[in-house]
Amino acid sequence: MPDKRPPRILAAIMPTDSTDNAYREQRIRNLNALSEHGHHPYGEAFTRSGTLAELRAGFEEGREVQAAGRLMAVRAMGKSVFADLRDGTGRFQLYVGRKDLPEALFDAFSLLDLGDHIGVAGTLFVTRTGEPSIHVTSWKLLSKAILQPPEKFHGLVDTEERYRKRYLDLVANPDVRARFNIRIRIMQEIRAFLAARGFQEVETPMMQPQAGGAAARPFVTRYHALDCEMYMRIAPELYLKRLLVGGFDKVFEMNRNFRNEGLDRTHNPEFTVLEVYEAYGDRHTMKRLIEELLPHLCRQVLGRLSVESAETGESIDFTPPYREVAYRDLVRERMGDGWFSLDAAAARAAAEAAGVAVDPQWDHLMITHEVYDKLIEKTLRQPTFVTRIPRPFVPLAKACSDDPALADVFEFVVAGKELCPGYTEQNDPFEQRRALAAQAGDNTERIDEDFITALEHGMPPAGGLGLGIDRLTMLLTGTEAIRDVILFPQLKAR
RNA sequence: GGGAGCGUAGCUCAGUUGGUUAGAGCAGCUGACUCUUAAUCAGCGGGUCGUGGGUUCGAGUCCCUCCGCUCCUACCA
């Protein structure tokens, strides 16, 4: 099966530079030797009978097949050679016997190196030790690797190398690929779930003249054609609500947000969020959506409703319905029934006594929120909707009809971390302007006037939610570092 | 931003109190071997010890600078 046409002349790419190491030179010698055998070192399309996983699933002794993949291991014993081939779906063993293929083709097999891509033709059989294998009758080089792959047994361990050279991490560590497969499935299932309920996926600007929809420092960039500053979005919310005004009743967007903040185990400067809006709904609509979506995802992606926390090992059960509890009740539960009658000084003393450091400038509201953040949220292990949150923290939501000091929202908390806020969205342009002005303080230019104008044209009452996809993936895959669920996490330039 | 730790062969790791020519496994090269699967056996090669400086008769090892990574901590989801 080697190419018939003359091999390419490759002498020109032989390394002349002393930084090239001996392994690379050896592989280039093998490349040239394969060329002389008629193998094009960087071949073209190859017709496969199926992926390696399909070959395994549809295994049938004696069946003639063609397969392709990367050479991961070679166990040569004179006149017979065993090798492991791997593609994106799995691995399969090759058996190459001296008497079963032309002598030149058998000899050239030893010029292959680990990491090379090859295509093979042969028949399926089972070895004496019970391993399904391809009895190779012909093979062809598809792509020559001139650098060594990582070690076969330990894989690639060095964390920095794993992130900087993710392609090697993926080749060397099959569990990494498995984890990203789960992330991909999660996103596919979310899209299918929402599409089945009549939601339409839209795309709104990533580059915005002002960054709204959340409180976070944005990345700034310069647009030369318009001679102005642009901001990478920190949230798509204000644009999605413009679409509610425009008549999109059920919309979602699942894409990147960018926040110019620190990076650590749970924060990457770009991260993926699902935002969903449903006209004529409210936070109860969103709560029901979450209670359907999460069990659906668990079932489809994991095949079960419980996951194990990476942090503590405890079991987290996604069987609905989930607990719903008011923010103030949680605070009273932890700090005592009298908490909301304390003045700021007494609250500060009580918070300090409970081990929470409190800024002396803070008012009762801020102190309470710090107590919630530091003491209470982490204790909510099973899926929990925390409702009735003080309005200053959620300027884009409506007030509770029975208490103007509280927002009609939930924070959905799982394993002690906020996973997803859900709102009864503010559609009153007067109230919205007041809330945004209060948040902006003196810096009034930060208010998105066009958004307020849109509200003045009439936004239907609506429910909305925002689900962090990276964190959801961490939860469902039992991963502690956000970098392990992002293919190319942010690292400093080296 | 603050604190602690780490960086040795292509990969995974040893390296003693500062002391000869820096070691091992995998991978590579040469040879043997027709059912192996971390194949096995014999032999061989492979190093800017992250970078730059310093102390010392002598530095992978001790001190300083810088680069990168990890963990803790602070801000954010």
Side-chain angles (χ1 to χ4, degrees), chain A residues 159-160 163-164 166 219 256-265 267-271 482-494:
Chain A
T159 49
E160 183 176 355
Y163 298 138
R164 287 194 193 279
R166 182 68 92 183
F219 286 95
R256 231 69 66 76
N257 288 347
F258 307 86
R259 296 192 182 175
N260 205 342
E261 313 276 359
L263 74 174
D264 62 30
R265 218 173 33 159
H267 296 85
N268 195 64
E270 50 183 305
F271 59 101
I482 196 169
R483 283 178 166 180
D484 290 324
V485 299
I486 293 176
L487 282 167
F488 297 99
Q490 196 61 47
L491 293 177
K492 279 196 193 175
R494 189 150 59 169

Side-chain angles (χ1 to χ4, degrees), chain A residues 179-239:
Chain A
R179 190 182 309 127
F180 284 108
N181 283 345
I182 291 180
R183 180 183 174 119
I184 290 162
R185 283 291 309 283
I186 289 171
M187 295 182 71
Q188 286 172 336
E189 289 296 338
I190 288 174
R191 288 195 162 98
F193 175 93
L194 290 171
R197 283 159 184 75
F199 288 88
Q200 289 177 295
E201 181 170 11
V202 295
E203 294 162 281
T204 64
M206 296 263 175
M207 295 167 65
Q208 304 177 349
Q210 45 196 310
R217 204 161 124 209
F219 286 95
V220 188
T221 187
R222 177 139 202 96
Y223 186 19
H224 295 290
L226 296 186
D227 191 28
C228 66
E229 306 281 289
M230 299 289 284
Y231 299 89
M232 304 300 289
R233 77 176 183 196
I234 56 176
E237 175 156 358
L238 303 188
Y239 286 89

Side-chain angles (χ1 to χ4, degrees), chain A residues 72-225:
Chain A
M72 297 302 288
V74 175
R75 297 174 291 280
M77 34 206 36
K79 293 179 181 133
S80 63
V81 179
F82 292 89
D84 291 338
L85 203 59
R86 191 159 88 203
D87 69 6
T89 66
R91 82 169 257 294
F92 215 93
Q93 178 168 275
L94 306 179
Y95 171 78
V96 185
R98 184 175 188 85
K99 67 176 196 302
D100 304 315
L101 65 174
E103 192 174 331
L105 210 45
F106 181 82
D107 292 343
F109 197 84
S110 66
L111 295 169
L112 292 172
D113 291 299
L114 299 186
D116 292 354
H117 289 270
I118 61 171
V120 303
T123 30
L124 295 180
F125 79 114
V126 179
T127 64
R128 277 179 216 162
T129 52
E131 172 94 17
S133 306
I134 300 174
H135 197 129
V136 174
T137 52
S138 184
W139 64 270
K140 175 181 175 177
L141 179 62
L142 300 179
S143 181
K144 190 86 190 80
I146 59 171
L147 293 176
Q148 298 230 120
E151 205 240 15
K152 66 177 174 184
F153 188 60
H154 297 93
L156 186 65
V157 169
D158 183 82
T159 49
E160 183 176 355
E161 282 300 287
R162 288 186 46 228
Y163 298 138
R164 287 194 193 279
K165 297 187 175 168
R166 182 68 92 183
Y167 47 91
L168 286 185
D169 190 28
L170 289 163
V171 168
N173 302 319
D175 55 312
V176 172
R177 175 58 183 267
R179 190 182 309 127
F180 284 108
N181 283 345
I182 291 180
R183 180 183 174 119
I184 290 162
R185 283 291 309 283
I186 289 171
M187 295 182 71
Q188 286 172 336
E189 289 296 338
I190 288 174
R191 288 195 162 98
F193 175 93
L194 290 171
R197 283 159 184 75
F199 288 88
Q200 289 177 295
E201 181 170 11
V202 295
E203 294 162 281
T204 64
M206 296 263 175
M207 295 167 65
Q208 304 177 349
Q210 45 196 310
R217 204 161 124 209
F219 286 95
V220 188
T221 187
R222 177 139 202 96
Y223 186 19
H224 295 290

Side-chain angles (χ1 to χ4, degrees), chain A residues 232-277:
Chain A
M232 304 300 289
R233 77 176 183 196
I234 56 176
E237 175 156 358
L238 303 188
Y239 286 89
L240 291 168
K241 286 180 173 172
R242 284 169 168 90
L243 292 179
L244 291 177
V245 173
F248 278 91
D249 287 351
K250 297 173 93 172
V251 288
F252 73 98
E253 180 162 12
M254 184 159 55
N255 218 315
R256 231 69 66 76
N257 288 347
F258 307 86
R259 296 192 182 175
N260 205 342
E261 313 276 359
L263 74 174
D264 62 30
R265 218 173 33 159
T266 55
H267 296 85
N268 195 64
E270 50 183 305
F271 59 101
T272 302
V273 167
L274 167 73
E275 287 204 6
V276 181
Y277 293 88

